[in-house]
Amino acid sequence: MAGASTPLQRSLAGYAARPGALDAFLLARRRFQAGERIDMQALAAELGVNRATLYRWVGSRELLLCEVVWSLTERTLRREPPAADGADGSGSCLAAVLSRFVTDTLAHRGMRRFLEEEGECALRLLTLSSGGFQPRLVGLVRELAAAETAAVRLASPIPLDDLAYTLVRVIESYVYLRTITGEEPDGTRAARVLQALLPRPADPGRSRPGRT
């Protein structure tokens, strides 16, 4: 029909080249990963829009930062899990995943800059429920703990909701250690605590009489 316009036709006409909210997010994430500060004026200028448009897309700098950090957090936690820590095989898979997450977070260029230069802002945005990041992290850790429990790789007496909340608080305590206590963050300290909270279930076969 004359005058009809398909998505392809609109794209070919150049409409799809116009920047939008997703472009702002992807640009902010690239800058964050490069260890750069997310500056809203600079983002708007690179996208070719004014700051009012950028804020309309993303809500605020803080909300944009939360979404950027969450996208990286979820990707890290959902990666294929490493082998259980511990030479004796006593460490759980979930403890290894969470320990790796702490180590990766502390080594990430963007997070290092964020924590070093905006530590109090990071602590407020990423550890309080109001920012929206922390509830999602607790929910994801609960999901991982539930999967480990169902696979009989985790047998904690702590209810899943409480366990997930506690694990996230342990992670936060060590990631934001410099801001909280002034001490240097150390992923190995977090790993020891996580392994203690998440031991592998005992192998029933080992305790059966007569088995060798």
Side-chain angles (χ1 to χ4, degrees):
M1 185 171 62
S5 177
T6 68
L8 175 59
Q9 289 170 332
R10 290 194 296 273
S11 297
L12 293 173
Y15 290 101
R18 296 178 180 177
L22 182 58
D23 298 284
F25 165 78
L26 294 174
L27 177 58
R29 188 169 66 178
R30 285 197 300 272
R31 290 195 167 187
F32 185 87
Q33 289 185 287
E36 301 175 19
R37 186 180 189 277
I38 293 182
D39 180 275
M40 300 298 277
Q41 182 63 52
L43 286 180
E46 187 165 344
L47 291 164
V49 299
N50 57 41
R51 289 212 316 168
T53 297
L54 179 59
Y55 276 100
R56 178 168 54 81
W57 285 344
V58 303
S60 68
R61 178 177 183 266
E62 293 185 347
L63 289 174
L64 178 57
L65 277 165
C66 281
E67 294 305 325
V68 166
V69 176
W70 172 248
S71 71
L72 300 172
T73 294
E74 184 176 26
R75 184 176 67 185
T76 299
L77 287 174
R78 290 195 185 279
R79 285 210 314 257
E80 183 177 349
D85 286 345
D88 60 357
S90 62
S92 76
C93 185
L94 180 57
V97 168
L98 298 180
S99 299
R100 180 185 64 186
F101 171 68
V102 173
T103 301
D104 288 353
T105 298
L106 295 175
H108 190 275
R109 290 175 65 187
M111 280 301 297
R112 277 208 317 270
R113 190 217 61 79
F114 192 29
L115 294 172
E116 289 171 2
E117 299 181 13
E118 302 181 76
E120 291 186 7
C121 175
L123 188 65
R124 175 170 49 82
L125 285 181
L126 305 179
T127 67
L128 300 180
S129 61
S130 57
F133 177 89
Q134 205 247 15
R136 283 185 282 184
L137 180 56
V138 172
L140 178 51
V141 171
R142 188 194 188 284
E143 177 188 327
L144 297 175
E148 289 296 288
T149 301
V152 199
R153 290 190 296 262
L154 175 64
S156 174
I158 305 172
L160 280 175
D161 288 341
D162 294 333
L163 180 62
Y165 175 80
T166 300
L167 294 172
V168 169
R169 284 307 190 192
V170 169
I171 291 169
E172 292 169 343
S173 296
Y174 287 97
V175 169
Y176 307 108
L177 194 61
R178 183 184 289 111
T179 302
I180 297 171
T181 69
E183 298 176 75
E184 191 66 22
D186 183 355
T188 59
R189 294 173 62 186
R192 286 194 293 268
V193 176
L194 292 166
Q195 292 290 354
L197 287 171
L198 298 167
R200 278 185 176 274
D203 182 356
R206 293 179 182 174
S207 60
R208 292 178 188 169
R211 284 191 62 106
T212 57

